[in-house]
Amino acid sequence: MTVTGQDITDYVARVRAALADLPPAQRDELTEDLADHLAEFAAETDGTLVERLGEPETYAAELRSAAGATGGGGRNLDQRVATALVQVRGQLRAIDTRLGPALGYETASEFLRLLRPAWWVLRGYLAAMLVTVMSTGGSIGLLPRFGGELLAGLFMLVGFVLASIWLGRRSGGLARWPRSAVQVGSAVLVAFALVALVNAEDRLGYDDYYYDQTSVDSQYSQVRDVFVYDSEGRLVENARLFDQNGNPIRLGYPDCSSPIDEDGNPLLRPYPYCVDQAPFGHRAPGAAVPTPTGTPEPGVTPSTTPTATTTPPATPAMPPTPTPTG
């Protein structure tokens, strides 16, 4: 963006206003060659004066600090804030210069400027994901969705990325308040990205210690444990269930012990989780097969004597077979 003469005049006027508490001679001395300096600086660099030098009040505080000038009266709040900003900017510049060589550049900001196009694309993606969260009630994945529709979300993503690139290429020409709004919006998107990363990390950590259940009917949602019995009514320990594709079926929750098995893999944990809580226990040899409505006590063999017998009808006597006599 080209810096006009009016821009320079306005900047100098604001600097002089920030130094109004100084004696006029001292203020004139500090700002004597300021307009020429700003014109040379604008011709050598891109962007507005505010972008390159900061706010005029901050620049005035730097002049005041460099000259060791103090006003006749106490400084107002704006001047104290400007002085504090000068100190913060000085520390940031020192950090910027210190980190630059580690990145292969004179300053770290020079390296970061190369990443601005990537940030513009990422900013559009984050904006689309934020709209996804708001339109789906908190559901989020890797791709944006608008109202739960993936195709609409992809169109939204393309639009947001193009808008972000357009805005980034023209941010230098924005006025103060629009530029501040863009910066605040970018900060909101960065905060949203950090929260999303924390939530993703929590989900991954949960999967490390527990397991995702295979989709089953809702009638099994209250199952806490699974007990498998063979055809003879004997409890089968260390059993595992798989679907037709060989995927493990996980039901229940091992609340009687750790969900991690000896191998550290929760998907290989066998059933039942809590053997001592088996509803029918271990069947003794020769015991009747237990049924849900009538369960014999473990180790007790139920009587096989019928409670009622029916006498079969009498069979008519057969006449004796004659014995041949020779």
Side-chain angles (χ1 to χ4, degrees):
M1 175 181 178
T2 302
V3 178
T4 65
Q6 185 62 44
D7 295 332
I8 296 176
T9 300
D10 294 341
Y11 196 94
V12 172
R14 290 178 61 182
V15 171
R16 290 179 61 84
L19 300 174
D21 60 319
L22 297 178
Q26 189 177 21
R27 182 182 59 196
D28 293 341
E29 180 182 358
L30 290 177
T31 60
E32 180 179 3
D33 300 325
L34 180 58
D36 295 336
H37 171 70
L38 293 178
E40 294 176 359
F41 184 82
E44 296 174 355
T45 59
D46 297 329
T48 65
L49 294 175
V50 173
E51 288 179 339
R52 306 304 299 161
L53 299 176
E55 297 294 335
E57 292 75 16
T58 304
Y59 187 84
E62 291 179 346
L63 289 177
R64 184 193 301 272
S65 177
T70 58
R75 293 181 297 172
N76 56 31
L77 178 60
D78 292 341
Q79 292 169 341
R80 290 195 295 269
V81 171
T83 301
L85 290 176
V86 169
Q87 297 174 351
V88 172
R89 288 184 61 186
Q91 296 175 354
L92 292 177
R93 281 196 297 267
I95 295 174
D96 187 22
T97 303
R98 190 177 301 114
L99 293 178
L103 299 173
Y105 293 86
E106 184 177 351
T107 61
S109 58
E110 183 179 354
F111 169 74
L112 293 177
R113 279 194 292 271
L114 299 176
L115 300 179
R116 285 187 297 180
W119 161 244
W120 297 340
V121 174
L122 178 61
R123 180 172 58 185
Y125 171 78
L126 292 177
M129 296 304 295
L130 181 59
V131 173
T132 297
V133 171
M134 293 187 296
S135 64
T136 59
S139 176
I140 187 173
L142 293 179
L143 294 176
R145 286 173 169 79
F146 186 78
E149 296 294 333
L150 178 59
L151 183 59
L154 294 178
F155 279 110
M156 176 180 63
L157 173 62
V158 173
F160 279 10
V161 169
L162 293 178
S164 178
I165 295 174
W166 180 89
L167 189 61
R169 290 175 59 86
R170 291 161 177 77
S171 59
L174 296 177
R176 180 179 179 182
W177 291 113
R179 184 171 62 253
S180 299
V182 172
Q183 293 172 350
V184 171
S186 298
V188 170
L189 292 177
V190 170
F192 165 72
L194 293 177
V195 172
L197 286 176
V198 171
N199 290 336
E201 178 66 19
D202 290 342
R203 289 197 299 268
L204 290 176
Y206 182 86
D207 290 341
D208 287 341
Y209 293 98
Y210 302 97
Y211 45 79
D212 293 330
Q213 294 185 356
T214 299
S215 177
V216 294
D217 295 339
S218 59
Q219 60 179 319
Y220 300 112
S221 60
Q222 302 300 319
V223 172
R224 305 293 297 176
D225 203 346
V226 175
F227 299 89
V228 181
Y229 290 85
D230 62 13
S231 60
E232 299 296 329
R234 293 185 295 264
L235 178 66
V236 178
E237 299 185 28
N238 298 321
R240 294 183 174 90
L241 305 181
F242 297 87
D243 64 12
Q244 70 281 354
N245 298 319
N247 299 317
I249 298 175
R250 308 308 303 178
L251 295 173
Y253 180 81
D255 52 4
C256 60
S257 61
S258 172
I260 302 299
D261 66 357
E262 297 177 354
D263 298 328
N265 188 347
L267 293 178
L268 298 180
R269 183 168 178 82
Y271 300 111
Y273 302 135
C274 312
V275 178
D276 55 344
Q277 297 180 12
F280 306 126
H282 293 269
R283 189 178 71 85
V289 178
T291 59
T293 55
T295 304
E297 294 292 334
V300 178
T301 303
S303 175
T304 58
T305 304
T307 55
T309 58
T310 303
T311 303
T315 303
M318 298 295 293
T321 303
T323 302
T325 58

